[in-house]
Each structure stands twice: as structure tokens, then as C-alpha cells.
Amino acid sequence: TEMDFDLDNNIGYYTNGATILNNQNKLTSRFGYFYTKTNQVYFKKDVLLVNPEYTIDCDTLLYNTVSKTAWFLGPTNIKSDDNTIYCENGWYDTQRELSQFSRNAVLTSKENIVMADSLTYNRKTGLGRGFRNLRVIDTAEKLTIRGNYGEINRLKKTTYITQKPVAKKLMGNDSIYLLADTLYYLQGTDSNRVLKAYYNSRILKKDLQAVSDSIVYSLRDSVITLFNQPVMWSEEKQITADTIRLFIHKNQLDSMLMQGNAFIATKENDKHFNQIKGRNMKGLFSNQQLQRVIVIGNGESIYYA
């Protein structure tokens, strides 16, 4: 390997490939330029940085020897035991272990896949933030959460998304959508995953819609619970109660439990409604439609023949 130095401009460079060793880092590239005035090193073509904790494979890398910060210019892959990061622009502060990634940024871990216009990540705290067009995908649960801002805590395995968040869960040949002001996803373990929706929560499905102050979806138990004056619509039926629980079996609605002040109204014509009232009710679904209702306590019915 040969290295030349421009004395007039204080620039050293090589064009036939080189290997640079610095503490625990090993860097190889085809071209390299050393700007001594600005303490910057510019690497180009087949750049590979190997560290005991991660590897960086990119097209172009700019490094400041004083701030210990690296800039990625072009397609970049960063791999570690915890995750893999892809971006086409970004930087990494090696001293503080802070980083920012943009242009098709994707973070892939064992728990999920995170995409956004811009991602920031702290390796020490495990906290990542996503800005604009954020998507968090749990492939095991076939769950996708979208929004324009989110925080992902790798250590606590939690995801917090706001700014018009929407969660989509595949259910057989159909999908169920969960919307709210804020979505909070807990991935504690493989058997304990909970999706929570706070404020102005809504459920949208082809054959069912609901609104509520807050909603909790336990993926382990396949139970969706609507709290605080929920209202649900199934075909022409309007259903209300203090709390409504939906039970899912084999990716289909199986039954529901209406607890406290349960009430069902069905439109008979423009002036009349069939009505059922009780302390609690249990509803049974067949082919995604509410077929049978059992009233438990203080049952009342108004039916227009």
C-alpha cells in the first residue's frame, strides 16, 4: 500500500486500499483522505469498520478524530448482536454512543422492525426515537403500528407512538385497526404482549366499529377491553356498557362481555328501536356477526313486532 501527502494543503491520501488500526477498531477501504487541518478522515469505496461490539459496512465514511464522530454518506449497514441498522445518511458519536439515521432508515431487532424518515438511537440506554412516517412491525404478531413520532425502549421492550398513530393487526383474511391519540405497546415477553390506546380510542373493522376513552388489547389472551363509556356498532346494533370485553378465538370474534349498564339497541324503522337492557350481558358471535345475547341481572326488553 502506498500513501501520498500533499504538503501544500496538508492532505494525505491513498488510492490502492489500506487497513487502519486504532485501539479496538479495524478499518479497511479502497480510498482514504486525511485532512490534517480539520482533523477529518474521508474513506471511500468498500469501507468496513470492525469493532468488538459492532461492524459498519458502507460506501463512504467521514470521521473526525477530535470529536470521535463518524458520518455515513450512502448505503450503510451497522450490525451488532442486538440489532441491524440500515440507512443512507447519518452519524454516530462513538464516545457518547449516540447516533442518528435518515434516508430509508430501518432498525431490525429480535422484537420488531422500525422504519422512519429519521431515527435516533442511544446504545447505552437502548432508547430510540423515530420522526415522521414511523412504522413499528412485530412480525410474530402480524402487528404494524404507524405514527409520526415514537419512542422505542430496547431494554424495557416498550414502544410509545403518538401524532396520529394507527395499529393494524391481521386477523385471518381481515384486519382490525386501532386508533387513538397515543398508542403504547409492551413486548415484555413472547407470551405477554399488550397494546394500549389512550384518549379518543377507536376500533375499525369491516363488520364492527367502536369508540371508547381507552382500549387495552392483550395479545396473549386475545382479549380487547374497552373502558369508560364505550360504544360499539355491529351491523345495525348499537351496544353500550360501562366496560366491554371482546374475546377472539382463531383470529375471529368469538364472544363479548358487557359489564355494567349493558344496553343494546337495534333500528326497526325510522321511529322505532328494539332495545335490550340489563346489568350485564354476554354476546356470542357466529361468522363475525352477533347472533345471541344472554342478559344477566335486571333484564328488560322492548321489541316492536
Side-chain angles (χ1 to χ4, degrees), residues 54-56 61 70-80 83-93 97-108 114-123 127-132:
Y54 57 86
T55 62
I56 299 176
L61 178 68
W71 285 267
F72 317 116
L73 308 173
T76 303
N77 288 285
I78 304 172
K79 298 181 180 180
S80 67
N83 51 51
T84 300
I85 300 171
Y86 173 83
C87 71
E88 296 172 5
N89 190 278
W91 54 264
Y92 177 44
D93 186 331
E97 297 191 38
L98 300 176
S99 52
Q100 188 271 338
F101 312 100
S102 58
R103 291 186 186 174
N104 301 315
V106 180
L107 188 154
T108 304
V114 181
M115 301 180 232
D117 288 353
S118 177
L119 291 172
T120 63
Y121 184 63
N122 187 322
R123 282 180 55 85
L127 180 63
R129 291 186 172 91
F131 303 87
R132 296 176 301 279

Side-chain angles (χ1 to χ4, degrees), residues 234-276:
S234 176
E235 295 184 313
E236 296 182 352
K237 304 175 184 67
Q238 178 172 297
I239 302 165
T240 60
D242 294 342
T243 302
I244 298 177
R245 300 183 190 275
L246 300 172
F247 299 89
I248 300 168
H249 180 64
K250 294 183 179 180
N251 282 325
Q252 289 188 344
L253 283 174
D254 179 74
S255 60
M256 71 175 175
L257 184 62
M258 296 154 276
Q259 298 174 292
N261 299 310
F263 182 80
I264 297 178
T266 304
K267 187 176 181 179
E268 181 67 22
N269 52 50
D270 291 338
K271 296 182 179 180
H272 301 103
F273 293 83
N274 297 326
Q275 303 167 59
I276 302 174

